Amino acid sequence: MSMRPSSPEEIPAETVRVARAAFPKGSLAIRIRDELGVLFTDGQFVDLFPARGKPAWSPGRLALVLVLQFVEGLTDRQAAEAVRARIDFKYALGLELEDPGFDFSVLSEFRDRLITTDAGRQVLDSVLAAARKKGLLASGGKARTDSTHVLSAARKLCWLEMVSETLRSALNALAMAAPVWLAQTAEPDWFRHYASRAEDSRFPKTRTGRDEVGLRVGRDGMRLLMAVTAPSAPGGLREVEQVENLRKMWVQHFHLVEGEVKRRESNERPPGALCLVTPYDIEARGSIKRDTYWDGYKVHLTEICDPDALHLITNVATTVSTVPDNVMSGEIHAGLAQRGCLPGEHWVDAGYPTAARVVAARRDHNVDLVGPMVPSTGWQSRTEAGFPIGAFDIDWDQQTVTCPGGKSSIRWSREPVRDKVEIRVQFSRADCRACLVKDSCTRGPRRKLTLQDQDTHEVVHQRRAEQQTDEWKERYQIRAGVEGTISQAVTRCGLRRSRYRGIAKTSLQHQLTGAAINLARIDAFLTSTPRASTRISHFARLRPAELLGEAKS
């Protein structure tokens, strides 16, 4: 397929006449075209197509179809049918009434092209650029971010299904790459055990029987890996993707003990960030957050939250499920900076801010990253009579620390720890032994402190003090609204489960979801649709005023 870029054209007069007659009050697609004009042009996607070949359907129009597809929660077939049959879609796309549209498979092919250059970001960028041009997007105010879990498109497998299906997928791949070699190498029992899906088999109900089946699968997979790596094996078999997946899965679950294949114990397996959870989505990872377990990914949504502004989503970031929230603030701020959407205040939950991240946000982007700072974990902070770090007087210039008992430290050293440098402070054993308040300070022979750099240290204690005040708690309520955005993305656009396999396509889905929600919110603004209020149960409405005050505090 090739592309012949064309400039945006006016909507055909007959399409306008029929659309106005059929939708006298308009529709989302019609209002978006009238207000924002042409959102995507062919020129934006010219790098995705070769110079020769059959002309492709307009990529600018396809991009709009993808966004409208997520606005209305349509499948590819339904979206293609809407382009062919719905007048408001033809109006938004600027098509003639008799235009036949395209086959639904074109959408899948276009998505494949988008992920090759991370062009999904261009879709969200174009919507934001059109909103800014119309004065609907402001920057420099307040924004909020939260993350939620996303389930993999591949269904969850039990352990026996996972190892059996991994071996079966490797056998199928080798059957295409080297059929003669595999026919000579395969054990006769393999055809009975792995010719059909594991879900079509009935595994033993007893624990002993299931363990025996698992070990049999482990031995079969180990034989196949040894055969593939043998000198007599055809070249290139090791590089087959499914064979590499088999190797990784076997490293996770099996090992050789005195020449026998044994199942690994849970404490002998690789870290969760490296472990595969299914052979059909090898980039998905298993994770846990409080009482939620899932296999898949995680998405971070950032939106404007100024009270009088249109709450548009300004950044969408997708990661595997094992990436912690506290490493994402820098990437999110970089994405906001590229779009010109950096806020002055960025409100997040306790998973994001650390003292180092707060300092980096101020230094690199002039953004105030605001969220609950994790309290100190020392026992001194959990008792009223204890002396936490905040009770010590620190002289940063002289590099000395004075304890509540009036004694000065004897050691101040900077030591590298992983990816940062910590300041280690020690006091004299003799001073601590003779101190009258030693029991409130340390349970060891002397007090030791671990400090961060001055700016980081001051941020920690300043924020911990601020977040105890009623004023800070009142201001922090602004972050809660992002939960409604996640709910809208889940219920309207199907955010909770990935439609596709792999992080690249899942990330594209999330970019399209962000663009779709923005169009829905712009349409709600144009039609003066009020925001939904927080739902309160009938019983909660009966709560006395004094109890309501306690709940807020």
Side-chain angles (χ1 to χ4, degrees):
M1 302 292 288
S2 65
M3 186 181 67
R4 308 291 188 268
S6 60
S7 58
E9 298 179 357
E10 295 294 329
I11 306 172
E14 186 64 11
T15 302
V16 173
R17 185 187 68 80
V18 175
R20 298 299 184 195
F23 296 91
K25 295 183 179 180
S27 70
L28 182 146
I30 292 174
R31 284 187 291 267
I32 290 299
R33 176 61 189 258
D34 289 342
E35 183 68 21
L36 302 182
V38 178
L39 289 175
F40 313 104
T41 63
D42 291 351
Q44 293 177 251
F45 308 99
V46 67
D47 295 336
L48 304 182
F49 294 84
R52 294 183 176 182
K54 181 180 178 181
W57 213 75
S58 167
R61 286 172 171 150
L62 285 176
L64 180 56
V65 172
L66 288 178
V67 178
L68 292 176
Q69 175 185 12
F70 278 81
V71 170
E72 301 196 9
L74 305 177
T75 64
D76 285 356
R77 289 179 183 271
Q78 292 169 335
E81 183 65 22
V83 174
R84 183 164 40 252
R86 285 178 50 174
I87 298 172
D88 58 336
F89 268 52
K90 290 184 181 293
Y91 183 97
L93 297 169
L95 297 175
E96 298 283 355
L97 292 178
E98 63 271 16
D99 193 294
F102 51 83
D103 185 79
F104 73 94
S105 62
V106 172
L107 291 176
S108 177
E109 295 172 359
F110 185 58
R111 284 194 298 268
D112 289 340
R113 294 181 186 275
L114 289 177
I115 64 174
T116 58
T117 58
D118 195 21
R121 290 178 55 88
Q122 295 183 26
V123 177
L124 180 58
D125 291 348
S126 295
V127 173
L128 293 174
R132 178 178 281 113
K133 186 177 180 180
K134 292 295 182 179
L136 302 176
L137 175 62
S139 58
K142 300 177 181 179
R144 56 195 175 198
T145 294
D146 200 7
S147 67
T148 190
H149 62 283
V150 179
L151 304 178
S152 169
R155 72 178 182 88
K156 188 175 181 64
L157 303 175
C158 71
W159 178 73
L160 279 179
E161 286 181 315
M162 181 165 54
V163 294
S164 297
E165 283 297 290
T166 303
L167 177 54
R168 193 179 73 88
S169 66
L171 289 170
N172 282 327
L174 290 172
M176 292 187 291
V180 176
W181 173 85
L182 183 59
Q184 298 171 349
T185 305
E187 301 285 343
D189 287 347
W190 292 6
F191 296 97
R192 184 171 71 255
H193 294 311
Y194 311 114
S196 59
R197 288 180 175 272
E199 63 189 33
D200 296 334
S201 304
R202 291 188 177 182
F203 295 118
K205 294 183 178 181
T206 63
R207 176 68 178 270
T208 302
R210 296 171 71 87
D211 289 345
E212 291 177 356
V213 172
L215 289 177
R216 185 255 298 162
V217 176
R219 290 191 293 268
D220 292 343
M222 199 69 73
R223 289 195 197 101
L224 180 61
L225 288 173
M226 294 175 63
V228 166
T229 56
S232 59
L237 295 187
R238 299 184 187 185
E239 287 71 37
V240 174
E241 180 183 3
Q242 289 81 356
V243 173
E244 177 63 15
N245 295 342
L246 176 67
R247 186 192 66 80
K248 292 179 180 179
M249 191 72 76
W250 257 236
V251 168
Q252 290 175 207
H253 295 286
F254 300 102
H255 61 159
L256 290 174
V257 179
E258 297 180 353
E260 292 290 329
V261 176
K262 300 293 183 182
R263 185 180 178 186
R264 290 184 185 273
E265 299 295 333
S266 58
N267 59 353
E268 299 175 332
R269 296 171 189 166
L274 302 177
C275 289
L276 306 182
V277 294
T278 174
Y280 300 115
D281 190 354
I282 61 172
E283 294 176 307
R285 293 293 182 269
S287 190
I288 176 176
K289 184 176 183 180
R290 292 188 287 274
D291 58 348
T292 301
Y293 298 80
W294 80 99
D295 293 340
Y297 305 94
K298 188 187 293 185
V299 60
H300 303 257
L301 301 180
T302 302
E303 68 173 358
I304 295 171
C305 62
D306 292 279
D308 299 328
L310 185 56
H311 292 180
L312 297 180
I313 293 177
T314 51
N315 192 77
V316 179
T318 305
T319 68
V320 296
S321 62
T322 53
V323 175
D325 292 349
N326 59 20
V327 304
M328 290 301 297
S329 59
E331 179 180 333
I332 292 171
H333 291 154
L336 292 171
Q338 291 177 359
R339 294 186 169 105
C341 296
L342 278 174
E345 295 179 1
H346 188 187
W347 294 84
V348 293
D349 66 14
Y352 289 90
T354 64
R357 304 295 176 186
V358 173
V359 171
R362 288 178 179 175
R363 180 188 66 242
D364 300 337
H365 301 286
N366 196 28
V367 172
D368 187 13
L369 183 64
V370 188
M373 198 69 67
V374 177
S376 174
T377 57
W379 65 266
Q380 298 91 340
S381 301
R382 300 192 297 270
T383 60
E384 294 184 1
F387 295 138
I389 293 180
F392 290 73
D393 184 19
I394 303 174
D395 188 332
W396 297 96
D397 295 329
Q398 299 299 320
Q399 297 186 349
T400 59
V401 179
T402 304
C403 73
K407 302 299 182 180
S408 297
S409 60
I410 61 172
R411 180 172 179 263
W412 176 297
S413 63
R414 297 176 63 86
E415 300 180 7
V417 179
R418 292 188 293 274
D419 58 343
K420 61 182 179 179
V421 175
E422 293 181 345
I423 300 173
R424 302 293 176 87
V425 176
Q426 289 185 0
F427 287 83
S428 167
R429 289 176 180 266
D431 289 342
C432 289
R433 188 181 307 113
C435 183
L436 298 178
V437 293
K438 176 179 180 296
D439 291 342
S440 298
C441 188
T442 181
R443 295 170 179 171
R446 59 175 159 185
R447 183 66 188 265
K448 300 178 182 180
L449 301 177
T450 299
L451 308 177
Q452 296 172 299
D453 287 329
Q454 181 177 0
D455 52 357
T456 306
H457 176 85
E458 291 174 349
V459 163
V460 170
H461 294 279
Q462 176 188 356
R463 290 296 176 85
R464 286 175 178 168
E466 286 179 351
Q467 66 194 37
Q468 302 303 319
T469 64
D470 292 338
E471 179 185 359
W472 189 92
K473 294 176 182 178
E474 184 72 22
R475 293 178 60 213
Y476 186 66
Q477 292 181 10
I478 194 173
R479 192 213 67 87
V482 73
E483 305 288 352
T485 297
I486 291 177
S487 177
Q488 183 182 18
V490 170
T491 56
R492 182 163 194 163
C493 303
L495 183 72
R496 179 66 66 222
R497 180 177 289 278
S498 176
R499 289 188 174 197
Y500 321 108
R501 298 177 182 179
I503 193 170
K505 282 192 174 182
T506 300
S507 178
L508 173 61
Q509 173 185 340
H510 296 160
Q511 298 291 336
L512 295 173
T513 297
I517 292 176
N518 283 346
L519 291 191
R521 292 185 172 185
I522 291 172
D523 182 65
F525 172 79
L526 297 176
T527 56
S528 301
T529 303
R531 297 171 187 159
S533 58
T534 302
R535 290 174 291 183
I536 302 176
S537 68
H538 296 292
F539 179 68
R541 295 178 190 274
L542 301 178
R543 182 182 297 168
E546 57 271 18
L547 294 181
L548 184 62
E550 292 178 5
K552 289 184 178 180
S553 62

